[in-house]
Amino acid sequence: MKISQLPEDIQKYIIPTPNGTMLYRCLGCNNHFGIDELLYTCPDCGTVLMLEDSSFDRYKDISGEMWRRIFDYRSMICDPPLKGIFRFYEFIAPIIPLDKIVYLGEGHTPVVKANNRLRDIVGRDFFFKDDGLNPSASFKDRGMACAMSYINYFASKNNAGNILAICASTGDTSAAAALYASYMGAFLKSAVILPQGKVTPQQLAQPLGAGAKVMEIPGVFDDCMKVVEALAENYHVALLNSKNSWRILGQESYSYEIAQAFDYEVGDKVIVLPVGNAGNITAVMSGFLKFYRAGVIKSLPKIIGVQSEHADPVYRYYLEGNPDKRVFRPVNVKASVAQAAMIGNPVSMPRVIEVANAYNSIAPEKKVFVVQVREQEIMDSMIMANRNGNVVCTQGGESMAGMKRAVELGIVKKDETGILDSTAHMLKFLSFQEKYFNDSFEPEFNVKPVQRLKNFPMLVKPSTLGKFPAPGNPLTGKEMDEFVTRMSTEIAGILDLEKR
Ligand code: F0G
């Protein structure tokens, strides 16, 4: 739709102009730093940073009703930079010029209501928000679109001709980083560092296909992260892990989209998401908080982070009820089917603590929870979700198992509705489905298939039939008739079909 066709009072808001002041804020010493330099940690005390718009209050001059109309009408226009997550431009990174925004189709992911069968398993109405339907098939594209748009802007401002973007990954950040870098041209190259044997073949194929330099190293993600941190500290590289706070801003769009999908009424919603490096839960809370502070939404939804029993440092931290006594301790992870979230020392932990505090202090009651689920429950949930019309990865299975646990624990009230993050496409995690169907999980996973959920292809090739067609060798005439008759009779027998 053309802007001139929109209501007159909206038109001037549709195409935003860069404005405001963004600063890095250190979560340790609270110092602020300008964004002319790419920073990941505080130069003074080494703690992680958050990016803030120090002129955010100007957005309160626009009414919540007006914001809602701006976003809804903006969704109708055809301007590529505003088509994806940047249709929430003012709430993401309002200093990036529109012509520097990189858009590869991220965001706008579907919110799909679970059928009655799944609802009965979980105990409440719920939806999956399918973030696997992003360009590189995970939610990471949201953060990457923002971080890469900033790098694009940064490079042109500083005439930087040769940037190497680097990340450690459990497989999805690397796929997203490599994809966006490959789009952006010669000035940006990407290198990814992966824990050997701890990403799926599909995830490994993604950065290879995008032409990134792919390095596998022994250990788990936490070890790769340490190596990448050392590289970022000592060499000229652009770090693309969620330690990079531009990533967090882009991932806030997940919350903005949920708000929009439910007509900005989210007070009775429960957002459930898997927690690994804890960037996503930080972003989701922060996004809702910003919308709340600007009056775009009137109440905050509940947030439930989910961790596997094999990688649960955030869950353990919150087990202590008294905030003053909480001590964060990294854990040694064990093999997990939610492999992309198999992280023992999340870099965003200081962010989670601060943002969850802010979130809980605004709401009249506690709103942020972390639950723990078993590996078996994650796998059964993924398989059941996919058998009921959804496209859910193991981490999405973790969300579903977490929702069920939260209902059992009385965290989710009767009239509340879940929105579960299926963070990646199920096709990336086929190897876990395969292990389930073949009953071939290594003992450390501690997962056994439910027999009735197993599924296999069946070869139909009657031994009494002499000839079969093959590429380049088709059957003809009588032989073909015989083939079709015998095969269809055989298949009708297997399927127990009634004759017409
Ligand atoms: N789900 C998927 C599919 C993921 O890839 C990740 C993290 C998570 C959930 C957890 O999100 O880290 O923000 O708490 N993957 C990162 C990666 C670590 O390298 O791809 P988080």
Side-chain angles (χ1 to χ4, degrees), residues 84-159:
I85 61 163
F86 277 99
R87 74 182 183 282
F88 304 105
Y89 180 85
E90 295 86 347
F91 288 77
I92 294 183
I95 47 84
I96 301 180
L98 294 194
D99 66 346
K100 294 294 174 280
I101 288 176
V102 184
Y103 169 64
L104 297 188
E106 62 286 334
H108 262 305
T109 54
V111 180
V112 179
K113 187 160 191 190
N115 67 11
N116 293 349
R117 223 169 355 158
L118 278 192
R119 181 202 56 204
D120 291 346
I121 292 175
V122 160
R124 291 289 181 279
D125 279 334
F126 75 93
F127 294 76
F128 275 113
K129 185 162 168 66
D130 287 337
D131 254 25
L133 299 184
N134 271 302
S136 79
S138 89
F139 73 98
K140 302 287 180 183
D141 295 327
R142 297 179 181 276
M144 212 51 78
C146 182
M148 289 300 201
S149 298
Y150 174 71
I151 288 179
N152 204 22
Y153 169 48
F154 179 85
S156 75
K157 218 166 74 167
N158 297 300
N159 250 331

Side-chain angles (χ1 to χ4, degrees), residues 122-290:
V122 160
R124 291 289 181 279
D125 279 334
F126 75 93
F127 294 76
F128 275 113
K129 185 162 168 66
D130 287 337
D131 254 25
L133 299 184
N134 271 302
S136 79
S138 89
F139 73 98
K140 302 287 180 183
D141 295 327
R142 297 179 181 276
M144 212 51 78
C146 182
M148 289 300 201
S149 298
Y150 174 71
I151 288 179
N152 204 22
Y153 169 48
F154 179 85
S156 75
K157 218 166 74 167
N158 297 300
N159 250 331
N162 209 353
I163 297 179
L164 179 70
I166 195 161
C167 66
S169 183
T170 55
D172 291 325
T173 297
S174 42
L179 178 71
Y180 282 78
S182 72
Y183 180 82
M184 287 168 63
F187 80 93
L188 184 69
K189 300 238 168 354
S190 101
V192 307
I193 298 188
L194 306 173
Q196 186 188 18
K198 294 282 178 294
V199 305
T200 69
Q202 294 78 10
Q203 289 173 313
L204 180 60
Q206 289 187 286
L208 288 173
K213 186 91 191 154
V214 178
M215 280 162 278
E216 297 180 282
I217 65 173
V220 294
F221 170 85
D222 296 301
D223 306 306
C224 296
M225 193 65 220
K226 286 268 175 282
V227 173
V228 167
E229 281 170 344
L231 286 167
E233 235 163 70
N234 298 309
Y235 299 89
H236 287 290
V237 289
L239 178 75
L240 280 177
N241 283 97
S242 51
K243 201 156 198 178
N244 178 332
S245 21
W246 296 95
R247 286 262 320 276
I248 303 288
L249 293 175
Q251 287 177 206
E252 288 170 358
S253 63
Y254 186 80
S255 305
Y256 306 150
E257 287 186 10
I258 289 176
Q260 191 173 38
F262 290 93
D263 288 329
Y264 305 93
E265 285 173 13
V266 288
D268 61 347
K269 302 292 182 292
V270 179
I271 317 298
V272 189
L273 64 165
V275 178
N277 221 9
N280 206 28
I281 192 168
T282 302
V284 169
M285 290 188 291
S286 170
F288 283 120
L289 269 176
K290 281 194 199 167

